[in-house]
């Protein structure tokens, strides 16, 4: 479908959707990278790409998920979906690194420090967004479940 039309972002998007419908998230990631190339300034596209990488999981994919969530927030600081995604993917990365345990390299230690800072940043921003609202308690409970609320 999309192979013959490398510049056709909508075709790549459709192919990614079909891959996700079939549970092929690695294939969807491949397709969605083409969508990112076609729409590099779209915060929604970067957010979706981050969600796909987070769904695939694994240390490298979670690093990519963080990267795309951060890019989405760079393009649109008000994107709450990306903010939640940033916190969730950084927490998942920390969990994966904890499981990896003693097999960590020095460069991965830096990645852990970055992930911790991203979690802290995201949690602070989320609490600030919901401060004084009825949702503040719900968001606080979410962050507690992610083990990031201090």
């Amino acid at each position: 479908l999309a192979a013959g039309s490398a510049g056709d972002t909508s075709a790549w998007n459709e192919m990614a959707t079909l891959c996700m419908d079939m549970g092929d998230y690695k294939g969807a990631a491949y397709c969605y990278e083409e969508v990112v190339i076609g729409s590099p300034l779209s915060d929604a596209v970067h957010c979706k790409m981050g969600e796909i990488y987070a769904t695939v999981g694994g240390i490298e994919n979670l690093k990519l998920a963080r990267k795309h969530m951060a890019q989405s927030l760079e393009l649109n600081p008000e994107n709450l979906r990306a903010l939640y995604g940033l916190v969730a993917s950084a927490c998942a990365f920390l969990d994966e690194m904890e499981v990896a345990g003693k097999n960590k390299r020095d460069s991965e230690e830096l990645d852990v420090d970055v992930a911790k800072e991203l979690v802290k940043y995201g949690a602070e921003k989320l609490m600030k967004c919901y401060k004084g609202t009825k949702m503040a308690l719900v968001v606080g409970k979410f962050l507690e479940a992610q083990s990031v609320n201090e």
Side-chain angles (χ1 to χ4, degrees), residues 86-113:
L86 180 67
V87 171
S89 60
C91 284
F93 174 81
L94 291 171
D95 290 344
E96 289 280 335
M97 290 301 289
E98 191 175 308
V99 169
K102 295 183 172 115
N103 297 330
K104 293 185 259 185
R105 299 183 305 260
D106 289 341
S107 63
E108 291 172 336
E109 287 296 327
L110 177 61
D111 288 332
V112 167
D113 292 340

Side-chain angles (χ1 to χ4, degrees), residues 41-62:
L41 299 178
S42 170
D43 66 293
V45 167
H46 281 284
C47 186
K48 183 70 170 179
M49 183 79 254
E51 290 171 352
I52 293 170
Y53 277 128
T55 300
V56 173
I59 291 172
E60 292 304 315
N61 288 319
L62 290 168

Side-chain angles (χ1 to χ4, degrees), residues 1-14:
L1 171 68
S5 50
D8 191 351
T9 303
S10 62
W12 282 109
N13 189 37
E14 183 66 26

Side-chain angles (χ1 to χ4, degrees), residues 63-137:
K63 283 171 42 176
L64 290 169
R66 288 183 347 209
K67 178 185 93 168
H68 284 283
M69 292 298 180
Q71 182 63 34
S72 180
L73 288 167
E74 180 75 23
L75 294 167
N76 178 5
E78 305 300 316
N79 187 336
L80 290 179
R81 187 175 183 133
L83 202 48
Y84 278 106
L86 180 67
V87 171
S89 60
C91 284
F93 174 81
L94 291 171
D95 290 344
E96 289 280 335
M97 290 301 289
E98 191 175 308
V99 169
K102 295 183 172 115
N103 297 330
K104 293 185 259 185
R105 299 183 305 260
D106 289 341
S107 63
E108 291 172 336
E109 287 296 327
L110 177 61
D111 288 332
V112 167
D113 292 340
V114 168
K116 287 178 181 176
E117 287 300 314
L118 288 172
V119 169
K120 182 179 173 187
Y121 167 81
E124 288 171 359
K125 292 286 269 185
L126 283 169
M127 289 308 295
K128 184 178 178 184
C129 287
Y130 290 101
K131 186 177 182 177
T133 68
K134 293 179 183 179
M135 284 297 296
L137 182 62

Side-chain angles (χ1 to χ4, degrees), residues 1-13 15 30-40:
L1 171 68
S5 50
D8 191 351
T9 303
S10 62
W12 282 109
N13 189 37
M15 183 66 133
Y30 175 82
C31 295
Y32 224 76
E33 281 291 351
E34 297 296 327
V35 176
V36 169
I37 290 169
S39 301

